[in-house]
Amino acid sequence: MKSIGVFGGVQVISIICAIVRTKIISVVIGPVGIGLMGLFLSATEMIGSLTTLGFRNSSVRDVASETNPLRRRTLITVVRRWAWILGVFGAAVIAALSPIISLYTFGNYSHWWCYAILSAVVLISSLMKGEEVVLQGTARLGNLASGTVIGSVVGVALCIPLYFLYGEASIAPSLIVYWAVAGSFMWHFGRKATAASPKQPVSASDTYRLGKSIIKLGVFLTLSDSVAQLASYLFITYLNASAGTEQVGLYQAGFNIINKYAGLLFTAMSMEYFPRLASVSQSRIRTQLFLTKQINITLAVIFPFVTLIIILCPLIVRILYSSEFIDIVPYVTIGVLGTSLRAISWCMAFVIIAKGRGSIYLVTESISAVSGLLLNIVFYQTMGITGLGVAYILWYLLYWFIMIVVGRRYYGINNHRSSLAILAVVILMPTIVAAATLAGATTMGILLAVVSLAISVAMGRRVLAK
């Protein structure tokens, strides 16, 4: 809970910065600006995930578990070198493919230069991951939090004038400015954390040997992330081709509220959960215990988030974006109900990573990504933007079922009855609130939301007391 408090605060500040950025873009540029932001980020994140080989998660575990100062410093040097190697490679790939990406995404070459200059984002992102590994692996979580907060605030502040001065043409350059600022602060705190540690000469052969062992698991994690990014990219390009960039902007706005903002909460939890789970991964009983406790506290934390999103959805949409985005309210209200299923599945998926079973993780994530893509297409065609909310619930219901099967078959773990009881409450109460809200019974929805929040507080106290 202490870790959640620290990094939850960091994520709140990051969310506020993202709110300010998207709000200004939506007002100054409109849905087209949000759509372009989504199209640019989808391509860069997909290629960045593919080329950085997932070394961040796999190397954190190695750095954190190494107690010898000299060997730890050697690992840190290796991580930083691989961050450069993979970053340069990723930047070269997106620069070379920029005309093709522009043609596939927009049907012409008019935006190739945007993707070409965004190669810098892939490089900076890789270098940032290297410094994040150093800070998290050496337990400098305070410095990691400071670097994230300062970089986000200053980066957004420098981007704002660009939106007013250059409008739609500022989207790609503003991304470079933001990442350059964020990367410089992370580099500063990362170097500061290792300034006093003994330096060790590391040969090229050692860099390859140690890096190979670190990246072995990371390759599977990267492929998994890339499949997910590819599925997201394919859907928004389908949406762009069939319904236009404005619909992409609406979808992206709703998806951010449902998925990405909740994902920031999961990220805060993983800062402590993943290393702790990895340390007991050889014991089935302790793994089951840690998993159950994490699921229970995650559901207790996510409960008020879901309820508040439902009851305040119209206000949230206007604050985050503008009245032009009000059509996404039913989409968000329905889709956010799937967040609880995502939470419990997320906790179970970390068991696979902690045990180093990269191939199994790749298969499960690939099935999930393809299922999500198909569900999105089918339900958008039949129900429009609102159907994407239904697709989101079914997507994570299927993903949870996959995690149950894998957990029982390969690791002998199950969802404890206490977790299932909490999940039932966390799903049932928000569903009733959502039904009342969508039916126009706002007063009843508010009363039910108050009851839900009271239950959430009581549930959280009970979980923490055990």
Side-chain angles (χ1 to χ4, degrees), residues 48-49 52 55-56 124-134:
S49 296
T52 53
F55 76 99
R56 193 201 185 295
I124 296 170
S125 176
S126 179
L127 299 180
M128 281 184 65
K129 289 177 182 177
E131 299 308 318
E132 288 169 358
V133 168
V134 173

Side-chain angles (χ1 to χ4, degrees), residues 273 277 281 287 291 346-357 411 413:
Y273 172 54
L277 185 65
S281 60
T287 298
L291 171 64
W346 171 86
C347 293
M348 298 176 71
F350 265 104
V351 174
I352 304 175
I353 303 175
K355 289 183 175 292
R357 300 297 295 271
Y411 310 119
I413 59 174

Side-chain angles (χ1 to χ4, degrees), residues 69-70 72-73 76 80 134 138 140 143 188-200:
L70 295 179
R72 172 177 280 186
R73 181 55 195 250
I76 289 174
R80 283 172 169 163
V134 173
T138 57
R140 301 293 184 91
N143 287 339
H188 167 73
F189 283 105
R191 298 290 167 167
K192 182 179 179 181
T194 57
S197 61
K199 295 183 178 181
Q200 284 288 99

Side-chain angles (χ1 to χ4, degrees), residues 86-132:
L86 298 174
V88 170
F89 175 64
V93 169
I94 193 170
L97 296 178
S98 57
I100 298 175
I101 298 173
S102 177
L103 179 62
Y104 179 80
T105 305
F106 296 96
N108 54 59
Y109 298 104
S110 61
H111 290 81
W112 74 267
W113 66 273
C114 296
Y115 289 105
I117 64 173
L118 286 174
S119 61
V121 171
V122 176
L123 172 60
I124 296 170
S125 176
S126 179
L127 299 180
M128 281 184 65
K129 289 177 182 177
E131 299 308 318
E132 288 169 358

Side-chain angles (χ1 to χ4, degrees), residues 2 11 38 45 74 83 96 104 181 194 239 316 341 367 398 462:
K2 182 178 179 180
Q11 301 306 324
E45 288 175 358
T74 298
Y104 179 80
V181 172
T194 57
L239 198 58
I316 291 172
L341 296 171
I367 295 174
L398 175 63
R462 184 176 180 181

Side-chain angles (χ1 to χ4, degrees), residues 220-221 223-225 227-228 345 349 352 359-371 395 399 402-403:
F220 287 104
L221 301 182
L223 291 175
S224 303
D225 289 341
V227 170
S345 304
I352 304 175
S359 58
I360 295 177
Y361 186 75
L362 174 60
V363 172
T364 57
E365 292 301 301
S366 298
I367 295 174
S368 171
V370 173
S371 301
W395 177 12
Y399 186 50
I402 294 171
M403 289 296 106

Side-chain angles (χ1 to χ4, degrees), residues 174-221:
S174 69
L175 290 173
I176 298 176
V177 171
Y178 176 84
W179 282 97
V181 172
S184 64
F185 281 104
M186 194 61 68
W187 181 89
H188 167 73
F189 283 105
R191 298 290 167 167
K192 182 179 179 181
T194 57
S197 61
K199 295 183 178 181
Q200 284 288 99
V202 182
S203 65
S205 60
D206 286 338
T207 300
Y208 172 77
R209 177 177 56 84
L210 295 175
K212 182 180 178 181
S213 63
I214 289 174
I215 291 175
K216 185 177 181 180
L217 173 61
V219 169
F220 287 104
L221 301 182

